[in-house]
Amino acid sequence: MSPPLYVRWSHEGSTNISDSDSEEEPKLPLNHFYPYIRCALCCGFLIDATTITECLHTFCKSCIVKHFFYSNRCPTCNIVVHQTQPLYNIRPDRQLQDIVYKMVPFLEEFEREQVCNFYKDRGLEVPKPVVVSPPCPVVLKRQKKENIPPSVFTIPPELDVSLLLEFVGAEEGINNYKPLERRYVRVSGEATVRHVELFIRRKMELSSTCQVDVVCGDHLLDHFQALKDIQNSVGEEALQDGLLVLHFGLVLPSQS
């Protein structure tokens, strides 16, 4: 069995990995730092460390992106990251990633090898590493406000209703459908329940014989009702964290 790994702290503030034989400086087992250098979603060491700006919890980039397909809350503290676009509020944490690579031996080399194998197995060109150029002298210039590009994350004002689509189940006999992966949708308030039904049908690949019933609160909605009117009439009891909650189920058409 190989000896346990320790993190040795030097007086200059840098970290080094050493075996248990060295007694020059104070050292701690690497597993003491696991809560700070491992991802809470995959339980592996952080890769492409990405931090949520609202609560500063950090995860692997691929893990947190997949998580936001199904939820808009932080996996650790459960706060709402963003009502409709949680990916807007995450940022790469390069300093933490550098610390992880320095503390875990061979992790960076192993990850680089994994990336190369991924591209080679698919016959794709391996991306070249980014070369960081030395900093140049900064020349301050006054810029006119009209030359500043608008934010790429600006949400169009006409998309003024945020939906949370909750699937409540399907009637017995309805089996061939896909799960709805995108439960959070931002749409125009002029859209109707019929538009929501068509969205659900396309995403879940429903057959034409299947009927979609949409409910808000205790009200079964008609196809012609506009979402803005529903939100105004039902009130706060139909909202959750600012989202209009619509429950829907799959039923067989009634036979007269």
Side-chain angles (χ1 to χ4, degrees), residues 225-243:
Q225 289 183 269
L227 298 178
K228 185 182 295 185
D229 295 337
I230 296 172
Q231 182 169 303
N232 293 335
S233 61
V234 177
E236 294 293 330
E237 61 185 34
L239 298 180
Q240 176 180 319
D241 297 324
L243 286 80

Side-chain angles (χ1 to χ4, degrees), residues 42-61:
C42 68
C43 296
F45 293 115
L46 290 169
I47 300 296
D48 289 336
T50 301
T51 298
I52 298 174
T53 59
E54 300 302 299
C55 59
L56 302 183
H57 289 122
T58 305
F59 309 89
C60 299
K61 181 178 180 180

Side-chain angles (χ1 to χ4, degrees), residues 47-193:
I47 300 296
D48 289 336
T50 301
T51 298
I52 298 174
T53 59
E54 300 302 299
C55 59
L56 302 183
H57 289 122
T58 305
F59 309 89
C60 299
K61 181 178 180 180
S62 59
C63 294
I64 193 62
V65 169
K66 291 177 183 177
H67 172 80
F68 283 152
F69 285 166
Y70 308 100
S71 174
N72 67 343
R73 294 177 176 269
C74 171
T76 300
C77 64
N78 205 38
I79 72 163
V80 176
V81 178
H82 190 283
Q83 289 184 355
T84 57
Q85 299 292 341
L87 294 179
Y88 289 176
N89 290 345
I90 60 176
R91 298 291 183 272
D93 196 333
R94 295 184 178 88
Q95 288 184 334
L96 178 56
Q97 189 61 61
D98 289 342
I99 292 173
V100 174
Y101 281 152
K102 289 180 180 179
M103 295 181 68
V104 184
F106 313 116
L107 177 63
E108 185 174 11
E109 291 80 0
F110 177 76
E111 180 63 21
R112 189 182 298 113
E113 182 181 351
Q114 292 284 89
V115 172
C116 292
N117 291 338
F118 174 87
Y119 284 95
K120 288 179 180 178
D121 292 345
R122 290 158 178 77
L124 303 174
E125 182 181 356
V126 179
K128 297 180 180 179
V130 178
V131 179
V132 180
S133 57
C136 300
V138 179
V139 179
L140 297 178
K141 294 183 178 180
R142 291 187 177 180
Q143 295 182 348
K144 296 181 180 180
K145 292 185 178 181
E146 55 269 22
N147 293 333
I148 300 177
S151 170
V152 295
F153 297 128
T154 300
I155 299 175
E158 61 270 15
L159 302 181
D160 51 359
V161 174
S162 301
L163 300 180
L164 171 56
L165 302 178
E166 291 282 11
F167 180 48
V168 297
E171 188 177 352
E172 184 178 357
I174 303 176
N175 300 313
N176 297 326
Y177 58 87
K178 288 187 175 182
L180 183 65
E181 296 183 350
R182 298 297 181 97
R183 298 163 50 214
Y184 301 93
V185 188
R186 192 175 181 94
V187 297
S188 168
E190 303 300 326
T192 64
V193 176

